[in-house]
Amino acid sequence: MVESTIKIRPFLPVLLLAICCHIQITVYAQNGNTIKGQVNDEDGQPVADATVLAKNQTTGGTSVTQTDSSGIFTYRNLPEGGSYSFMISRIGFQPQTLSGYSIPSDTVISLVIRLKSTANDLNEVIVTGRAGARNRTKLETSYSVTDIGYNALSLQAPTSVTETLKSVPGFWVESSGGEASGNVRARGVPVDGYGSIQLLEDGIPVQHDPALGYLNADQAFRFDETIQSIEVVRGGPSSVFYSNAPAGAVNYIPRTVGNRTEGIFKLSLGSDNLYRGDFWVGAPIGDGWKFATGGFYRVGTGVRDPGYSGNHGGQIRVSIGKKWEKSSFDVDFKHLDDDVVFYLGIPMTHKNGKITAVPGFNGNYGTVAGPETEKVNMIQGDGSTYNFDNTVGTAVKRNQLTAKFKTELFNDWILKNTLRYDNTQTQRNGVYPNSLESADSLLSSQAGLIATVPGAQKLALRYVTTGTPFNAADQNGNGLVIIGGMRGLTLPVREVTNDFHVSHVFVTGSSKHDFNFGYYYAHFDEDFNRYSSSALLDVQDNARLLDLVAVGANGDTLKSFTDNGIYQYGYEFADAHGEQTTHAVYISDEWQITNALRIDGGLRWENAQTEGIVEKTKVANLGTFATSKILTGSGIFQSYNRHFNYTTWTLGANYQFSDNMGAFARYTSAARIPGLGAYVTNATAAPVTQTMKLGEIGYKYSASKLSFYGTGFWTKYNNVGFTNYVFNLDGSNTQENLYANTQTFGLELEAGYYPVKWFDISATSTLQHAQYKGYVYTDNSGNLINYNNNQLIRIPAASLRVVPGFNLFADHLRLQTVIEYEAKRYVDVANSVVLPGYTKIDINAQANLTDKISIFGVIDNLGNSLGLTEGNPRQGEFQSSDAGATSFIARPLLGRSFKVAFRYKF
């Protein structure tokens, strides 16, 4: 049985039971009796808001109190005489009763109690999407939240940030690009990357704007054993507590040090030459101080082998903190130095009614990148050389320092402050398949070049490294050519963020308020440098470079137009610098009207000031065909200085029918203020604030054998920006910019059924009806285009994830199958190119050899599904140029792979 809870030893049921029942009692003399208790969970973490009922078994008299935020409760001067019992209860935990206590005067009784979680419930304390002084469990929240615990993550063994989110309903996630550069679409919001959700680590953004141009937040974050759990808020109040989070927030929660030394060492081996080591060690070091360190190192070629080690690097983090009385202070430093391969689309075709890779290309394991495009010297407009190195893929070097402070200023006045500084250097290189066409079509389109070479009879293609002729009719069994873009981006970012808030619980009559006031500040600056060249490539695994040549009557080469396969140097150039400063204030209140009914709301005002410079370009001609149209810097810079502000708000209600059943409803008015990414290549850009209206109503139920969580949602998104690119042979592109509105109605379902100890089944599903609204415009050619009511691009109408599992040999062996289904999607707004629905199956296993040693096994994509996750955005996202094509560029799932991990815990 696998639960998404923050429990780290499911394979020690006997020990847990013993811990659960362990009570330390200390009795000593004092004037007046005092009973003081500490209530913790199995991991030693305090359980706040637990109800403690003291009952005199002789007289029947009772007294009730609650634990505070530190899990502490206190009774003073209980009536003497008789035998007392203490019953401790909390939603999501098994109640515990302690009996047989005689309480004379002048006595202090101290209790230390560990409550055991109730199986399959909604007891997890949620810290994301709120900032109150009191804790709230998942069952008590008035918004949709998914928590993914350490046990579930260990079994799933995700290789990327995006993969950790596969079990979240309402999210369509796509991780086929490798360990970074994933895509998440939340609740029908048609924005790629992380443009609609915020990525948090320990409650504060990894990157203030998680969707800077070519710089998604997942590139700067790696998942490893230092992370304990994940919380995902879908819609709801996320836009009140976080910037750039209109459709949700994902919070990666690091491990914390307990009251004893603990550690994890993990070694992973897998296909594709994968070798990885993870570790984490934490320990108290005296006088309230605690220390922890952890990280990982990994090497591997990647599932799609480029002919070199595509993934190599790791990270290390060191944390130290101190806790005293009702205050705590923590400092965390993390250094990341990691290179990951970036997978792009590959050539696909239709065969016997199915989509498959073109002949000569392996759809499961092939990639366009290879040894011949590994390192290329690209000529720049001033005659210097740009050293393009595709072995670095997405290379990130990041130093991150986080400082957290928390204190209880007065009774139930809680102050929290989190400061983060990071310096991130990113180099992002890739071989982009801009377009695909037959060799005959390419040669025909360039026929005008024949007349420029005396004696030339025709054009032909030759392999750069060997000079061997390319068979235009059937080379590699396909006769196709890729117009590739070798793109290099250098993206250094320096950033400071700070989140400060004060929370207070106060009582008004019979109701209670948990009020919060916060101030958020962020400043970052970014340099943006880009240089790209177009190249001719054949179509096979690890594509080879081709030269376009003029040949004479005897087939001899008279002239090469391309330069070692480069058709056009410098089809892209950018040199820019910008910075953005954000100030935001927010307030929230959770009003507990009765024990069953709570209303909460929040308001955020945010102002962003964006300024910078962008160098204008000019065309340089260095005298050859390939160097005749190089874009380069002109030395003239355009400046921009813009500011935007907006107010977002949310209002929700939660009603508890019982300790294991509740319902909630919420309405949110959210927005996404234009970011720096809108200006880095265009100082005259005129972006607009994107506004959203989000509604949801949900039901939650948990019992010993069944849990269910259902949410209906509605999303109205205004002013969604679209930029339509269609790349041409010389690297130039036709560009259109438009804004549109969308509307989505959907249903999210989470359920778990636990009929017997040895079997359980869980499932998540999302059904959504997502459409464009009012999408009518006149294109560049004067044609009236009507895309009203078309389905949103890349968003399926149905998604399903089912996980049946078996717990065997007294819970020493866990076997589970993950079955995922995605319905058809569309590549473009016109709905002219379909990405068919697909099914993917994974196998997960965990064997607990001892209470300290476990072995994990994962088979990913067991059936080698070729499900397509995206088309070719470089052929247009309004009306794709691939419509009706027999061969096209698309990105399928990664092929079948396996991994085995050995873990030692102490």
Side-chain angles (χ1 to χ4, degrees):
M1 177 172 59
V2 177
E3 307 162 51
S4 294
T5 59
I6 310 176
K7 295 188 289 185
I8 60 174
R9 286 179 172 79
F11 50 88
L12 294 177
V14 176
L15 181 58
L16 284 182
L17 182 61
I19 292 175
C20 172
C21 297
H22 176 65
I23 304 162
Q24 296 176 343
I25 305 173
T26 306
V27 181
Y28 52 93
Q30 180 177 296
N31 293 328
N33 65 60
T34 300
I35 295 87
K36 189 171 184 178
Q38 170 76 55
V39 180
N40 297 328
D41 63 13
E42 295 115 314
D43 296 330
Q45 300 301 310
V47 177
D49 298 326
T51 298
V52 183
L53 173 68
K55 182 175 182 180
N56 188 312
Q57 301 294 332
T58 304
T59 66
T62 61
S63 180
V64 179
T65 188
Q66 282 190 321
T67 58
D68 62 15
S69 59
S70 298
I72 296 172
F73 69 89
T74 304
Y75 283 106
R76 298 187 188 279
N77 299 318
L78 286 174
E80 299 178 31
S83 177
Y84 274 87
S85 66
F86 297 90
M87 187 178 76
I88 301 94
S89 62
R90 179 69 166 92
I91 294 175
F93 292 92
Q94 296 178 7
Q96 185 176 157
T97 300
L98 315 178
S99 302
Y101 289 93
S102 176
I103 304 179
S105 61
D106 300 329
T107 298
V108 172
I109 298 178
S110 295
L111 308 176
V112 178
I113 304 154
R114 291 182 184 267
L115 292 181
K116 184 177 180 182
S117 296
T118 304
N120 320 321
D121 56 22
L122 302 168
N123 73 288
E124 296 82 8
V125 172
I126 300 300
V127 299
T128 310
R130 60 181 304 271
R134 292 290 188 178
N135 291 335
R136 296 273 181 230
T137 66
K138 182 177 179 180
L139 184 63
E140 297 168 322
T141 57
S142 58
Y143 50 90
S144 299
V145 60
T146 297
D147 61 297
I148 311 171
Y150 176 66
N151 295 332
L153 290 167
S154 296
L155 265 170
Q156 182 182 326
T159 58
S160 67
V161 169
T162 311
E163 280 198 344
T164 65
L165 307 177
K166 291 194 298 184
S167 62
V168 179
F171 279 19
W172 178 81
V173 301
E174 188 246 321
S175 58
S176 58
E179 292 191 23
S181 306
N183 288 302
V184 177
R185 295 204 168 194
R187 287 192 167 179
V189 176
V191 180
D192 285 334
Y194 285 78
S196 63
I197 65 170
Q198 181 59 273
L199 192 64
L200 311 168
E201 182 182 10
D202 208 8
I204 195 165
V206 171
Q207 184 173 290
H208 168 75
D209 187 341
L212 286 170
Y214 299 97
L215 198 58
N216 290 338
D218 68 329
Q219 295 169 213
F221 182 83
R222 298 290 184 272
F223 178 80
D224 63 10
E225 288 290 329
T226 66
I227 299 299
Q228 173 70 32
S229 62
I230 306 171
E231 291 180 359
V232 183
V233 174
R234 311 189 298 276
S238 57
S239 59
V240 168
F241 294 101
Y242 315 111
S243 295
N244 302 310
V250 179
N251 189 12
Y252 291 84
I253 301 173
R255 291 185 180 279
T256 57
V257 180
N259 296 321
R260 59 188 178 88
T261 300
E262 296 177 284
I264 297 172
F265 292 92
K266 189 174 181 180
L267 174 64
S268 301
L269 309 172
S271 52
D272 321 309
N273 299 308
L274 171 66
Y275 300 91
R276 173 170 173 146
D278 290 72
F279 81 100
W280 179 84
V281 177
I285 53 178
D287 195 27
W289 288 93
K290 296 183 178 183
F291 173 83
T293 184
F296 80 94
Y297 186 81
R298 166 273 285 110
V299 295
T301 58
V303 177
R304 299 187 182 277
D305 186 0
Y308 46 83
S309 178
N311 301 318
H312 47 91
Q315 71 179 4
I316 183 75
R317 78 188 305 159
V318 178
S319 305
I320 190 167
K322 179 177 173 61
K323 185 174 183 179
W324 65 98
E325 296 181 354
K326 294 186 177 181
S327 300
S328 63
F329 179 71
D330 298 276
V331 177
D332 178 87
F333 174 77
K334 185 168 68 172
H335 174 70
L336 171 66
D337 187 350
D338 193 33
D339 296 3
V340 295
V341 66
F342 179 33
Y343 298 126
L344 290 131
I346 63 174
M348 308 293 289
T349 190
H350 299 275
K351 183 179 181 181
N352 300 326
K354 295 183 179 181
I355 291 181
T356 184
V358 300
F361 206 100
N362 190 317
N364 297 116
Y365 303 105
T367 182
V368 173
E372 292 197 12
T373 55
E374 179 179 338
K375 295 182 179 181
V376 178
N377 294 325
M378 302 193 301
I379 299 172
Q380 300 187 94
D382 61 359
S384 63
T385 300
Y386 183 99
N387 297 312
F388 175 81
D389 184 356
N390 204 38
T391 64
V392 304
T394 299
V396 179
K397 291 179 172 61
R398 176 181 173 97
N399 290 316
Q400 174 184 293
L401 181 67
T402 306
K404 298 182 65 176
F405 176 71
K406 176 183 176 182
T407 188
E408 186 169 351
L409 298 171
F410 313 105
N411 187 35
D412 281 332
W413 281 92
I414 308 297
L415 181 151
K416 295 180 182 179
N417 191 84
T418 304
L419 171 69
R420 173 165 292 161
Y421 168 79
D422 60 81
N423 187 326
T424 307
Q425 307 291 320
T426 300
Q427 181 67 40
R428 191 178 187 195
N429 295 343
V431 178
Y432 290 72
N434 289 341
S435 62
L436 176 71
E437 58 184 297
S438 68
D440 284 335
S441 175
L442 171 67
L443 294 172
S444 176
S445 69
Q446 302 295 297
L449 295 174
I450 298 174
T452 66
V453 181
Q457 298 296 307
K458 64 177 182 178
L459 298 179
L461 296 170
R462 298 278 190 270
Y463 280 101
V464 168
T465 55
T466 63
T468 306
F470 179 94
N471 182 352
D474 195 33
Q475 185 72 39
N476 301 315
N478 55 62
L480 297 172
V481 176
I482 291 173
I483 314 303
M486 298 181 185
R487 174 182 284 162
L489 298 113
T490 305
L491 307 163
V493 174
R494 296 151 294 274
E495 186 170 39
V496 175
T497 54
N498 191 86
D499 186 58
F500 167 89
H501 62 264
V502 176
S503 306
H504 177 57
V505 175
F506 60 94
V507 177
T508 56
S510 61
S511 64
K512 182 186 297 184
H513 292 266
D514 195 340
F515 180 79
N516 169 78
F517 169 80
Y519 166 68
Y520 172 81
Y521 168 83
H523 175 82
F524 71 92
D525 65 87
E526 176 193 16
D527 295 329
F528 185 93
N529 296 279
R530 178 174 65 187
Y531 192 70
S532 310
S533 299
S534 61
L536 302 183
L537 301 164
D538 74 347
V539 173
Q540 62 172 308
D541 297 348
N542 308 136
R544 298 177 60 192
L545 288 164
L546 298 170
D547 271 328
L548 175 65
V549 300
V551 298
N554 297 324
D556 51 325
T557 299
L558 302 180
K559 180 180 180 178
S560 177
F561 295 98
T562 53
D563 182 15
N564 290 318
I566 303 298
Y567 183 92
Q568 179 64 60
Y569 286 110
Y571 78 84
E572 286 180 319
F573 174 89
D575 179 19
H577 172 82
E579 55 188 87
Q580 185 177 71
T581 302
T582 297
H583 299 273
V585 291
Y586 58 93
I587 59 173
S588 65
D589 184 36
E590 299 176 354
W591 180 20
Q592 194 74 48
I593 300 174
T594 68
N595 288 334
L597 176 63
R598 189 182 73 255
I599 295 176
D600 56 63
L603 183 75
R604 181 187 186 95
W605 178 84
E606 182 167 324
N607 181 81
Q609 182 79 22
T610 306
E611 57 185 317
I613 55 175
V614 178
E615 187 174 10
K616 290 185 175 182
T617 61
K618 66 178 182 180
V619 177
N621 186 344
L622 301 187
T624 68
F625 180 84
T627 62
S628 62
K629 294 187 292 184
I630 301 177
L631 284 180
T632 188
S634 66
I636 301 172
F637 289 83
Q638 284 184 295
S639 64
Y640 57 90
N641 192 329
R642 309 279 194 276
H643 77 273
F644 297 87
N645 59 72
Y646 201 83
T647 300
T648 62
W649 61 273
T650 186
L651 183 66
N654 186 80
Y655 188 84
Q656 292 300 128
F657 298 104
S658 64
D659 283 351
N660 68 338
M661 182 169 60
F664 68 91
R666 178 171 294 275
Y667 178 85
T668 302
S669 175
R672 198 184 200 286
I673 290 175
L676 180 62
Y679 300 99
V680 289
T681 60
N682 183 7
T684 63
V688 299
T689 297
Q690 300 173 9
T691 61
M692 288 132 275
K693 310 298 180 185
L694 304 100
E696 60 182 323
I697 182 168
Y699 172 80
K700 300 164 286 185
Y701 173 78
S702 175
S704 61
K705 293 187 177 182
L706 177 67
S707 64
F708 177 80
Y709 200 140
T711 307
F713 67 89
W714 165 73
T715 303
K716 190 176 187 299
Y717 202 127
N718 298 319
N719 300 320
V720 180
F722 292 90
T723 300
N724 192 59
Y725 294 97
V726 179
F727 280 83
N728 305 311
L729 177 60
D730 62 359
S732 64
N733 61 80
T734 303
Q735 181 176 331
E736 293 178 282
N737 297 289
L738 289 175
Y739 291 92
N741 300 329
T742 72
Q743 181 171 268
T744 302
F745 293 94
L747 179 64
E748 300 166 346
L749 301 172
E750 291 182 82
Y753 181 51
Y754 313 88
V756 291
K757 287 189 62 176
W758 57 267
F759 175 77
D760 55 75
I761 184 169
S762 61
T764 59
S765 179
T766 305
L767 306 174
Q768 51 190 332
H769 185 62
Q771 293 182 318
Y772 293 102
K773 293 297 179 182
Y775 205 152
V776 180
Y777 72 101
T778 301
D779 67 12
N780 292 341
S781 301
N783 300 313
L784 182 66
I785 305 298
N786 186 349
Y787 293 144
N788 194 44
N789 294 327
N790 279 14
Q791 183 173 322
L792 301 189
I793 61 174
R794 300 178 70 182
I795 293 179
S799 299
L800 177 65
R801 188 174 193 264
V802 180
V803 185
F806 298 87
N807 308 293
L808 307 174
F809 306 113
D811 285 340
H812 284 284
L813 177 64
R814 167 77 180 183
L815 297 174
Q816 68 180 32
T817 301
V818 182
I819 305 167
E820 297 176 352
Y821 168 75
E822 300 288 350
K824 73 175 182 179
R825 290 135 294 129
Y826 291 98
V827 169
D828 56 355
V829 176
N831 289 180
S832 65
V833 178
V834 176
L835 298 173
Y838 65 84
T839 300
K840 176 177 178 282
I841 299 175
D842 303 333
I843 302 293
N844 306 143
Q846 176 180 350
N848 302 314
L849 304 183
T850 70
D851 60 352
K852 296 181 177 180
I853 300 174
S854 299
I855 299 177
F856 298 85
V858 175
I859 301 176
D860 187 79
N861 196 5
L862 178 68
N864 251 342
S865 170
L866 275 176
L868 301 183
T869 62
E870 76 168 12
N872 186 4
R874 287 158 291 280
Q875 286 302 296
E877 290 195 328
F878 295 170
Q879 170 70 63
S880 175
S881 298
D882 284 338
T886 56
S887 299
F888 52 91
I889 296 292
R891 187 161 67 189
L893 296 169
L894 299 175
R896 180 173 52 242
S897 63
F898 71 88
K899 179 166 58 178
V900 176
F902 304 86
R903 186 186 70 187
Y904 173 73
K905 296 180 66 176
F906 62 91

